Amino acid sequence: MQKYNAEKELKKMDDYYPHSDLSSTYKKHRGQIIELFKTIELIWKTKKINDQSFEILFDGLKNSWHGVYYEIVGKEINAMLGNIEGIERIISYGINNSQWKIRFHTLVIMKGITDKEIQKTIVALGMMDKSKKVREMAADIKNHWMYNRNQKINEC
């Protein structure tokens, strides 16, 4: 696995977003993005997640912008599963949170998860959620995994 480089990740975003239609959204979230990149780099270097880094990642999961909660936090949580002890706790906190949007974000980032046990658990919780949007996302995730599984079988 290639080493995570916070500066390189930030440069990619700084090169793209200021010239896009999302430039004001990017500016609004840039401070949190910098903090997330530095935290992610530290987690990869130390192979540990402490209380402070947990809070920073979880705050990223709570962020309303897809570019933060999915493209940064979700991608890295998926990559860290099985590699960083305790990262599953963020998923657990997210799917059991009292705010429907955080439960929804947690399900959205699950599309990249390959661990079958985590998939089953999170989708089952999502399918029983009190929020219709969360239940719909859980069904979408389930269909996504089933479709991808069938595609792989058909390719053989």
Side-chain angles (χ1 to χ4, degrees), residues 139-151:
D140 183 53
I141 300 296
K142 187 175 182 179
N143 289 335
H144 170 79
W145 286 329
M146 289 174 69
Y147 175 79
N148 284 337
R149 223 175 275 132
N150 289 338
Q151 285 294 97

Side-chain angles (χ1 to χ4, degrees), residues 72-136:
I72 297 171
V73 176
K75 180 181 104 182
E76 289 306 317
I77 286 174
N78 287 331
M80 289 177 181
L81 280 170
N83 296 306
I84 306 295
E85 188 176 329
I87 198 71
E88 299 86 358
R89 190 169 63 124
I90 292 175
I91 297 167
S92 177
Y93 272 56
I95 198 66
N96 291 302
N97 195 278
S98 62
Q99 296 178 24
W100 76 267
K101 279 199 171 195
I102 297 169
R103 297 190 310 271
F104 182 85
H105 290 178
T106 304
L107 279 165
V108 170
I109 71 169
M110 300 311 307
K111 281 190 176 180
I113 299 289
T114 56
D115 183 298
K116 303 291 183 223
E117 287 305 309
I118 293 175
Q119 284 179 359
K120 283 189 233 176
T121 302
I122 300 305
V123 167
L125 288 170
M127 297 292 277
M128 297 183 305
D129 199 272
K130 59 187 171 187
S131 166
K132 181 180 178 187
K133 288 187 182 247
V134 174
R135 290 191 310 270
E136 288 172 347

Side-chain angles (χ1 to χ4, degrees), residues 2-20:
Q2 186 181 17
K3 287 187 175 186
Y4 189 89
N5 185 312
E7 259 183 57
K8 186 177 173 182
E9 294 298 318
L10 182 62
K11 180 161 178 17
K12 284 193 263 184
M13 292 188 99
D14 281 346
D15 288 347
Y16 176 77
Y17 281 109
H19 310 291
S20 77

Side-chain angles (χ1 to χ4, degrees), residues 37-54:
F37 284 153
K38 288 179 180 178
T39 300
I40 291 165
E41 184 175 62
L42 181 65
I43 292 169
W44 279 117
K45 279 183 183 175
T46 62
K47 300 286 188 206
K48 294 179 184 172
I49 183 164
N50 60 30
D51 290 343
Q52 183 181 8
S53 55
F54 175 90

